[in-house]
Amino acid sequence: MPANVRRFVSDDPLVADLANKIEARYPGHVAGVNRKIRDARGRAVTEIDIELQNANIQVKSGGGKGLTRQVIKTMTISEKPTIAFGPNLGMHVQRSVERQGALATTDENLLLEVIKP
């Protein structure tokens, strides 16, 4: 990775790996990782795994349990499109997310093309 590219860390290795791939391909496109969103009372509402300049990405390492609910929360707090990504997302989870109006994919290359600035 070039010296001028920022490096991101996360307790979730998929989040860090994906954020760093995005940053390497599109320097400056990643606005943050693991950004906690709070309501007016300061209570955590959700967390955006990867915030981009043009979208929010929710990342899941497993089959996607709870992902649709997480996507809905993200969509309600942000005007940016929400994308769900996980290499092992089940087909039912993908369909459920897409019924909410978000993209869901297991294809990292597709994701990297879709988020292109």
Side-chain angles (χ1 to χ4, degrees):
M1 188 173 289
N4 62 339
V5 175
R6 298 174 300 159
R7 297 273 307 154
F8 295 95
V9 295
S10 172
D11 288 339
D12 181 346
L14 286 179
V15 170
D17 290 345
L18 183 58
N20 288 317
K21 285 179 184 176
I22 294 167
E23 186 66 16
R25 185 174 285 195
Y26 309 119
H29 196 39
V30 177
V33 297
N34 301 118
R35 182 172 165 239
K36 291 186 183 357
I37 305 299
R38 300 187 182 281
D39 65 13
R41 294 182 183 167
R43 295 178 299 202
V45 176
T46 192
E47 178 179 274
I48 298 173
D49 291 329
I50 302 173
E51 183 180 10
L52 304 176
Q53 300 299 330
N54 63 356
N56 297 309
I57 303 174
Q58 296 295 15
V59 181
K60 286 289 183 195
S61 57
K65 183 177 180 183
L67 183 59
T68 301
R69 189 170 46 255
Q70 187 177 15
V71 165
I72 291 168
K73 285 181 181 181
T74 304
M75 290 171 69
T76 62
I77 55 92
S78 176
E79 293 182 12
K80 295 179 188 176
T82 300
I83 302 168
F85 171 76
N88 301 307
L89 295 181
M91 184 55 65
H92 294 291
V93 170
Q94 291 180 61
R95 287 182 183 143
S96 176
V97 166
E98 289 173 355
R99 280 193 298 271
Q100 300 305 315
L103 171 68
T105 186
T106 60
D107 185 335
E108 186 177 281
N109 291 322
L110 172 64
L111 174 68
L112 291 171
E113 280 302 309
V114 168
I115 56 124
K116 186 176 183 175

